[in-house]
Amino acid sequence: MSKLNWAIIGPGWAASDFVKAIKEVNGSVYAVAGISQEEAQAFADKNQVENAFGDYTEMLKDEAIDVVYISTPHNLHHKFIIESLKHGKHVISEKAITVNSEQLTEIIALAEEKNLVVAEAMTLYYMPLYKKLKEILDSGQLGKLKMIQVSFGSCKEYDVKNRFFSKDLAGGALLDIGTYALSFTRFFLSQQPNEVLTTVKTFETGVDEQSGIVLKNEADEMAVISLTMRAKMPKCGIVAGELGFITVDNFPRADKATITYTDGRVEQIEAGETAKALEYEVEDMQNFILNKKNTATLHLSNDVMALMTNVRNQWGIKYPFE
């Protein structure tokens, strides 16, 4: 595989993990930008990144950069994706890729205009297990898809100043953990839901703390999703067909699943390695770029963002910067 020059925007702990994955696949990381030269240099020294910039725009002017990874709070994704595209860079952004459909529509249009690749760093899209499970489902082995159930509960420490609970930083369970649950759901549904029912309990800062979401599409496939950010629940996804159901525990980076057939037979499915989740993202992104075609996952991210925008509109939750 040809080597690409990667750059990092948002030098935090998630970026450190992603840098390790880039190096495993690509060998090195070319540049990082932070809110100050000191911050960027500290990250570069710690993670062996070649160049450090205290100004994001100055870094993006560097013509040697091929692709940018964005790992900032949600509210800044749109800004940095647009700026990266305008400077001719391919982009992979942490989830949720934007905060609403309007932002993502603008990004997709600009990427198409400039013939650049944009992708969301939604791990499950790139895991070998999911590609294998989709093949099994599409083959008819489990009959017609009927129902999907997904739960995700992450008990965040009570702290009104934490980004998870901040309206200014696009906090809330939906954009933080709900995007995983909805991405799992949309990955297996044969088409986008056209019916969306939901209810929510808000946190004292005005963001969504916990919610229930019910989806249905024109193929009569349904999904039920449970989310909470102040209680622990299993990260479990179930995909049920007429002839059996798939259970995926710890689904965001899963490397194994169980199929239980209606006659009682049980089959174990394994593919890939959880520890290599970020490497799979890097590999797929580089393949998209080098093969000069846009990511096959962007339409899924677009559909998920449309669902999240619909849900949040029903709740009446709006971020100050929207």
Side-chain angles (χ1 to χ4, degrees), residues 109 174 250 273 317:
L174 185 66
N250 296 313
E273 297 178 39
I317 294 178

Side-chain angles (χ1 to χ4, degrees), residues 152-185:
F152 196 146
S154 180
C155 192
K156 306 297 186 186
E157 182 180 353
Y158 178 85
D159 181 357
V160 296
K161 297 180 180 179
N162 190 291
R163 72 168 182 87
F164 297 119
F165 302 108
S166 170
K167 257 196 168 183
D168 290 334
L169 299 179
L174 185 66
L175 287 188
D176 188 65
I177 59 177
T179 184
Y180 284 112
L182 284 163
S183 295
F184 177 96
T185 300

Side-chain angles (χ1 to χ4, degrees), residues 6-309:
W6 283 78
I8 309 295
I9 292 179
W13 64 266
S16 293
D17 290 342
F18 206 81
V19 163
K20 293 175 185 175
I22 295 171
K23 289 181 177 180
E24 286 295 324
V25 176
N26 193 58
S28 64
V29 179
Y30 180 79
V32 59
I35 58 175
S36 68
Q37 184 66 39
E38 291 75 20
E39 179 192 57
Q41 192 62 57
F43 182 91
D45 291 343
K46 181 179 178 180
N47 296 279
Q48 293 80 52
V49 176
E50 296 174 28
N51 301 287
F53 292 81
D55 183 279
Y56 302 102
T57 302
E58 285 303 310
M59 184 185 77
L60 292 173
K61 289 178 182 178
D62 190 329
E63 295 183 358
I65 294 171
D66 299 303
V67 52
V68 176
Y69 165 73
I70 295 172
S71 179
T72 65
H74 302 135
N75 60 308
L76 296 174
H77 289 179
H78 172 259
K79 169 188 173 181
F80 287 128
I81 294 172
I82 290 292
E83 193 166 349
S84 298
L85 292 172
K86 286 181 177 179
H87 283 86
K89 318 302 184 189
H90 304 286
V91 182
I92 182 167
S93 172
E94 270 304 331
K95 54 81 193 168
I97 189 168
T98 57
V99 302
N100 58 44
S101 286
E102 184 179 5
Q103 289 183 344
L104 187 51
T105 297
E106 180 185 0
I107 286 167
I108 291 171
L110 183 59
E112 290 177 349
E113 175 190 327
K114 292 186 168 292
N115 195 29
L116 293 168
V117 175
V118 174
E120 182 177 28
M122 174 53 63
T123 47
L124 67 88
Y125 289 161
Y126 310 99
M127 295 298 293
L129 177 71
Y130 282 93
K131 297 172 183 179
K132 189 170 184 177
L133 292 177
K134 190 67 165 62
E135 290 175 0
I136 290 171
L137 196 64
D138 290 346
S139 74
Q141 185 174 326
L142 298 179
K144 176 177 169 52
L145 174 63
K146 304 296 288 185
M147 176 68 77
I148 296 174
Q149 294 181 348
V150 192
S151 65
F152 196 146
S154 180
C155 192
K156 306 297 186 186
E157 182 180 353
Y158 178 85
D159 181 357
V160 296
K161 297 180 180 179
N162 190 291
R163 72 168 182 87
F164 297 119
F165 302 108
S166 170
K167 257 196 168 183
D168 290 334
L169 299 179
L174 185 66
L175 287 188
D176 188 65
I177 59 177
T179 184
Y180 284 112
L182 284 163
S183 295
F184 177 96
T185 300
R186 183 63 190 93
F187 185 83
F188 290 108
L189 291 175
S190 66
Q191 55 186 265
Q192 175 78 332
N194 62 326
E195 296 183 35
V196 181
L197 303 174
T198 184
T199 189
V200 66
K201 176 194 178 297
T202 56
F203 189 69
E204 62 191 80
T205 57
V207 303
D208 56 297
E209 177 188 321
Q210 61 189 42
S211 62
I213 303 169
V214 179
L215 307 173
K216 181 184 175 185
N217 61 22
E218 291 183 350
D220 289 330
E221 300 162 351
M222 295 183 65
V224 179
I225 298 163
S226 304
L227 305 172
T228 179
M229 205 159 57
R230 290 285 293 138
K232 193 71 174 175
M233 290 198 305
K235 302 171 188 175
C236 181
I238 297 173
V239 182
E242 294 170 319
L243 304 179
F245 63 89
I246 301 167
T247 303
V248 188
D249 292 316
N250 296 313
F251 68 84
R253 298 186 180 188
D255 57 13
K256 57 179 65 68
T258 302
I259 299 178
T260 304
Y261 294 94
T262 53
D263 62 9
R265 288 180 297 119
V266 176
E267 180 181 1
Q268 302 295 328
I269 306 295
E270 297 186 16
E273 297 178 39
T274 294
K276 293 184 177 180
L278 300 184
E279 293 173 36
Y280 298 135
E281 289 184 16
V282 175
E283 288 173 354
D284 277 5
M285 185 64 181
Q286 295 204 158
N287 282 328
F288 294 142
I289 294 169
L290 295 171
N291 293 330
K292 297 183 179 178
K293 68 174 184 178
N294 216 331
T295 165
T297 65
L298 189 58
H299 77 283
L300 295 174
S301 297
N302 194 35
D303 282 356
V304 169
M305 185 52 59
L307 291 171
M308 292 199 292
T309 301

